[in-house]
Amino acid sequence: MLTLTQVLFDKIVAHARADHPDEACGVVAGPEGTGRAERFIPMLNAARSPTFYEFDSADLLKLYREMDDNDEEPVIIYHSHTATEAYPSRTDITYANEPGAHYVLVSTADSDDVGSFQFRSYRIVDGEVTEEEVKIVERYAEV
């Protein structure tokens, strides 16, 4: 299950809506080994495409160095789909290389009459996609 705060949920959705009609993408980092999404990092879709996203390689390298310096890891890797449901495409599955991350997809298309967006989370390990429950909290419980 993915647990994240209402603030982070709102930021991810706002980024997806702001970049529409292009796909939005980004990362939410958290302290290593905690699974706790804390630091929202919207990224530029270098592809600037409504059907594909791509992290800029220099920006991604900088981000991974920052996370390493801060003892962080990518807890959520997110992007949007602008014309299809919030389900990983074959390309998304191929590029999923963080087995510990939650892959969040936000659909900004009203493709199934459920509203203007969908917010869904998946684990993608060795090409296998498993949808997981998303729990929104006001703040994380104290540890």
Side-chain angles (χ1 to χ4, degrees), residues 33-53:
T34 67
R36 190 178 187 131
E38 293 184 356
R39 186 165 66 101
F40 176 71
I41 307 144
M43 304 284 284
L44 173 68
N45 178 355
R48 293 192 169 103
S49 167
T51 58
F52 181 76
Y53 82 97

Side-chain angles (χ1 to χ4, degrees), residues 5 15 30 36 55-56 70 86 89 93 102 104 108 115 121 125 127 131 133-134:
T5 64
H15 184 204
R36 190 178 187 131
F55 291 119
D56 177 271
N70 295 331
S89 68
I93 295 166
H102 302 271
V104 165
T108 56
S121 183
V125 180
E131 187 166 6
E133 181 183 344
V134 176

